[in-house]
Amino acid sequence: MTDETELTTLQHCLDEYMMHTGRHEIDEIEANSALARAGLLEDEDPNPGRPLREILVKLRDSNLLPQNIRQIYGQWKIKLSGTIVKYPTILQFE
C-alpha cells in the first residue's frame, strides 16, 4: 500500500478524523484504529497499530515519508497535513 494515491487517501482520511475530533497530532495506534473504522486498513487486536507501522517503516526506508509524519523515540506521530508549510521561505532575512 505504498502507492501515492493510496497514501493520499490514507492521509485524507486521517486529516478528516483529526479535524472531526479537534486534534492536531495523533499516534500510529489511534491512526490505525481510525483507518480501520473507515474500512481502509485492518487493525490487529494483539498488536494495535502494527499494519500502519509496517507501511510507515517501508515509506521511511524508501525515503517517501510525508513531512507530517515522523518517528520520535520509536513512536510514530502523525500531524494534520494542512498545518505543514508547503513552500518554505529560503531567503527570509534578506
Side-chain angles (χ1 to χ4, degrees):
M1 188 182 268
T2 57
D3 189 31
E4 280 200 37
T5 57
E6 293 173 342
L7 180 62
T8 55
T9 303
L10 293 178
Q11 277 192 319
H12 181 67
C13 179
L14 291 175
D15 285 344
E16 284 183 3
Y17 170 76
M18 285 187 270
M19 287 188 293
H20 179 70
T21 59
R23 312 263 316 265
H24 295 286
E25 184 176 85
I26 57 175
D27 62 353
E28 77 274 8
I29 296 173
E30 186 177 357
N32 205 151
S33 67
L35 292 171
R37 281 192 299 272
L40 294 175
L41 185 66
E42 292 296 319
D43 200 3
E44 293 181 359
D45 288 333
N47 297 318
R50 183 176 182 190
L52 183 60
R53 278 193 297 271
E54 290 175 353
I55 291 171
L56 295 177
V57 166
K58 287 179 188 175
L59 290 172
R60 181 196 62 199
D61 292 346
S62 62
N63 203 21
L64 296 173
L65 196 64
Q67 285 184 332
N68 65 318
I69 302 173
R70 65 186 195 278
Q71 187 177 21
I72 300 175
Y73 303 116
Q75 186 177 18
W76 291 95
K77 296 290 185 176
I78 302 168
K79 285 188 172 185
L80 187 63
S81 66
T83 60
I84 303 299
V85 175
K86 301 291 183 189
Y87 302 102
T89 305
I90 296 175
L91 302 171
Q92 80 185 61
F93 294 112
E94 282 192 0

